[in-house]
Amino acid sequence: MLPCILIPMEKTVNNRERYQNQNEASNENENIFFKKIKIEVNDNQFQEMWKSLQRNSSNFDGWVNILHVINCQNIVVNARMTNYSKFLDLYPLCYGYWKKYANFEKRNNNIPEFKKVLENGLSAIPRSVDLWIYYMSYLRLEHSNEKEHIRYEFERSLKMCGFDYHSDQLCHDYISWEVEKNELFNTVNLYYHLFRIPTSNYLKNFFKFQEFIFKKLPEKYLGLPDFLER
């Protein structure tokens, strides 16, 4: 038989009090969180939705409905301070809401926060092809003159999710950008990278490569030794 270990009553009481204090602190933080919303939004339907979430803050559908209202009505303060960040703390893998949050900030001309949201999203789910495509589209549009930075970020995206079955669209975005910059040697190397991975549109990707080859002069994209050999 195992020996019976007696725990002093004083220690048991202290542990119970500590646990109770932690719960009270957690509940107090939740109450503060919801009180902020009540002060800032006066819509009755919105308040009812918040009361429902206050009773059950893990209600996914409740959060989705709240965020829909915030996005449609453009309730800036609440979205920025609490809603999106709170929701994504609970459900960080919902990549679509990282995009919605980023779009919300961009729509309200808060570009520093927009960038911060994207960085946080990519840190939370670095293998999200869709999120990387969104991020790289932004860089290509808004930072088109930062050539080395864009290439660095494209390379980083391929390291993170370049072996995903659906990553070929991301790779094609990279390829099209290199073609725009007339970096044909880099373009061919990217095609070679793409063909080493079993992606969702493998045959279609090969036809695109053939089209590229027939339209471009080989001395533009092959190194001199490779060109002379062929």
Side-chain angles (χ1 to χ4, degrees), residues 47-59:
Q47 293 297 345
E48 288 300 319
M49 295 166 73
W50 269 112
K51 287 178 183 178
S52 176
L53 276 180
Q54 190 172 13
R55 290 189 293 269
N56 179 16
S57 60
S58 60
N59 180 359

Side-chain angles (χ1 to χ4, degrees), residues 206-218:
F206 184 73
F207 289 150
K208 285 187 176 182
F209 178 58
Q210 284 186 317
E211 183 181 355
F212 170 83
I213 291 295
F214 292 144
K215 284 184 177 180
K216 305 294 180 182
L217 296 173

Side-chain angles (χ1 to χ4, degrees), residues 5-230:
I5 302 176
L6 298 177
I7 302 176
M9 180 62 70
E10 181 182 353
K11 186 175 181 180
T12 303
V13 172
N14 288 340
N15 288 340
R16 187 181 300 140
E17 288 178 352
R18 188 180 301 111
Y19 180 75
Q20 183 177 355
N21 290 337
Q22 289 174 347
N23 281 345
E24 288 175 354
S26 178
N27 292 335
E28 185 178 352
N29 288 336
E30 287 292 320
N31 290 333
I32 291 172
F33 168 74
F34 284 101
K35 283 178 181 178
K36 284 182 180 179
I37 302 301
K38 290 178 180 177
I39 292 170
E40 294 160 2
V41 180
N42 296 319
D43 183 81
N44 291 332
Q45 183 181 4
F46 191 89
Q47 293 297 345
E48 288 300 319
M49 295 166 73
W50 269 112
K51 287 178 183 178
S52 176
L53 276 180
Q54 190 172 13
R55 290 189 293 269
N56 179 16
S57 60
S58 60
N59 180 359
F60 182 84
D61 291 335
W63 280 108
V64 169
N65 292 333
I66 284 286
L67 293 177
H68 177 71
V69 172
I70 288 171
N71 208 46
C72 291
Q73 298 184 10
N74 206 37
I75 304 175
V76 179
V77 176
N78 290 290
R80 185 169 296 136
M81 285 182 58
T82 51
N83 294 279
Y84 273 111
S85 57
K86 180 72 173 179
F87 172 80
L88 289 167
D89 281 344
L90 294 170
Y91 306 102
L93 299 183
C94 292
Y95 67 89
Y97 282 91
W98 286 107
K99 289 172 62 177
K100 286 185 178 183
Y101 189 9
N103 279 330
F104 185 92
E105 295 294 357
K106 188 177 181 182
R107 188 169 70 240
N108 287 285
N109 298 317
N110 191 353
I111 300 304
E113 193 66 23
F114 166 79
K115 293 178 180 179
K116 183 179 177 181
V117 169
L118 284 179
E119 290 171 3
N120 291 340
L122 291 171
S123 296
I125 39 176
R127 295 187 180 183
S128 172
V129 175
D130 193 70
L131 202 54
W132 275 109
I133 289 174
Y134 176 84
Y135 173 57
M136 295 312 304
S137 296
Y138 161 74
L139 285 184
R140 290 176 65 181
L141 182 65
E142 301 294 338
H143 298 269
S144 57
N145 59 331
E146 299 178 17
K147 182 177 176 180
E148 293 306 317
H149 177 62
I150 292 175
R151 182 176 286 118
Y152 173 82
E153 291 298 296
F154 263 126
E155 288 295 327
R156 188 163 71 100
S157 71
L158 292 183
K159 287 179 182 178
M160 292 296 181
C161 60
F163 289 93
D164 188 277
Y165 185 64
H166 297 287
S167 64
D168 48 345
Q169 181 56 56
L170 177 62
C171 197
H172 275 301
D173 287 351
Y174 191 1
I175 287 170
S176 67
W177 180 78
E178 291 286 12
V179 171
E180 288 173 9
K181 302 302 177 186
N182 204 34
E183 298 285 355
L184 304 186
F185 185 76
N186 293 343
T187 302
V188 172
N189 286 332
L190 283 171
Y191 270 115
Y192 290 163
H193 163 82
L194 184 59
F195 294 147
R196 291 196 294 268
I197 303 166
T199 53
S200 57
N201 295 300
Y202 192 86
L203 189 59
K204 184 178 178 180
N205 296 335
F206 184 73
F207 289 150
K208 285 187 176 182
F209 178 58
Q210 284 186 317
E211 183 181 355
F212 170 83
I213 291 295
F214 292 144
K215 284 184 177 180
K216 305 294 180 182
L217 296 173
E219 59 268 30
K220 296 292 185 180
Y221 55 77
L222 291 175
L224 181 60
D226 197 11
F227 173 70
L228 293 177
E229 179 183 346
R230 297 190 183 197

